[in-house]
């Protein structure tokens, strides 16, 4: 794997109860060339305290917006103003990765010439950690043409 850098952006707003798991799952990715960015959309809970605690011992960028910009504007800011990676993985503050080799697998696909532009989780987990079946068709092939996905979903 060349020196492809992956930016893992964790966008959060008042999700401190989930943030530790999101950060830990990003740090546990076995892919070595990654940057982890926590973008705090002006939370009023303990998000800053949690992020700073992780930042102390790990190479994590923490940014707190001066005002609440909303989800889409936060994504845009983090992507265009902070992230420096070749590719981006976005997690919401209550999301986490369960496969520690997820990024490695994606980079391997990219390195093989697969034009990977979108990946989705296979399952959904409720806030009570209950497994919920995927709301999108589970019968989709592992790799899908992006134009086909856009036109059909």
């Amino acid at each position: 794997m060349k020196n492809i850098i992956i930016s893992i952006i964790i966008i959060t707003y008042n999700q401190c109860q989930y943030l530790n798991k999101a950060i830990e799952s990003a740090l546990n990715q076995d892919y070595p060339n990654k940057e982890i960015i926590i973008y705090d959309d002006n939370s009023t809970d303990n998000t800053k305290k949690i992020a700073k605690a992780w930042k102390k011992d790990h190479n994590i960028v923490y940014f707190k917006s001066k005002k609440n910009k909303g989800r889409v504007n936060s994504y845009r800011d983090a992507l265009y103003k902070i992230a420096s990676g070749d590719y981006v993985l976005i997690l919401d503050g209550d999301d986490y990765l369960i496969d520690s080799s997820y990024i490695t697998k994606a980079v391997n696909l990219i390195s093989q010439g697969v034009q990977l532009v979108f990946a989705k989780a296979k399952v959904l987990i409720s806030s009570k950690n209950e497994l919920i079946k995927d709301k999108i068709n589970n019968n989709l092939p592992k790799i899908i043409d992006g134009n086909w996905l856009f036109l059909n979903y």
Side-chain angles (χ1 to χ4, degrees):
M1 286 176 271
K2 302 165 190 146
N3 288 327
I4 296 173
I5 298 171
I6 304 296
S7 296
I8 303 173
I9 300 174
I10 302 171
I11 304 287
T12 187
Y13 175 71
N14 288 342
Q15 296 172 312
C16 70
Q17 69 270 34
Y18 307 110
L19 190 55
N20 282 316
K21 196 162 192 171
I23 296 168
E24 185 176 18
S25 76
L27 287 168
N28 285 338
Q29 287 297 299
D30 64 6
Y31 188 76
N33 302 324
K34 62 183 179 266
E35 67 175 357
I36 299 170
I37 299 163
I38 302 168
Y39 186 101
D40 180 354
D41 193 18
N42 200 26
S43 296
T44 57
D45 62 4
N46 286 325
T47 295
K48 182 177 182 178
K49 182 179 178 183
I50 291 168
K52 294 244 178 191
W54 282 98
K55 184 179 179 203
K56 195 172 8 173
D57 296 324
H58 301 281
N59 189 18
I60 293 176
V61 174
Y62 172 72
F63 176 85
K64 182 169 182 172
S65 178
K66 290 182 168 71
K67 65 177 187 169
N68 183 270
K69 296 181 176 188
R71 190 176 187 187
V72 173
N73 288 324
S74 295
Y75 288 146
R76 190 175 296 121
D77 275 1
L79 181 61
Y80 293 112
K81 295 180 181 175
I82 303 169
S84 64
D86 301 297
Y87 294 93
V88 174
L89 175 100
I90 294 178
L91 294 175
D92 285 339
D94 59 351
D95 292 343
Y96 59 93
L97 300 160
I98 58 173
D99 180 351
S100 62
S101 62
Y102 178 78
I103 293 174
T104 297
K105 291 173 185 173
V107 170
N108 284 337
L109 285 172
I110 292 166
S111 297
Q112 293 168 18
V114 174
Q115 297 295 313
L116 185 65
V117 294
F118 172 80
K120 72 167 198 69
K122 293 182 180 176
V123 297
L124 301 173
I125 306 289
S126 76
S127 60
K128 298 176 186 174
N129 279 337
E130 298 167 330
L131 184 65
I132 301 171
K133 287 202 173 191
D134 194 336
K135 303 292 183 189
I136 298 177
N137 187 345
N138 268 333
N139 297 321
L140 293 174
K142 192 170 186 176
I143 298 176
I144 304 168
D145 175 73
N147 291 325
W148 181 89
L149 183 66
F150 179 76
L151 293 172
N152 289 283
Y153 286 90

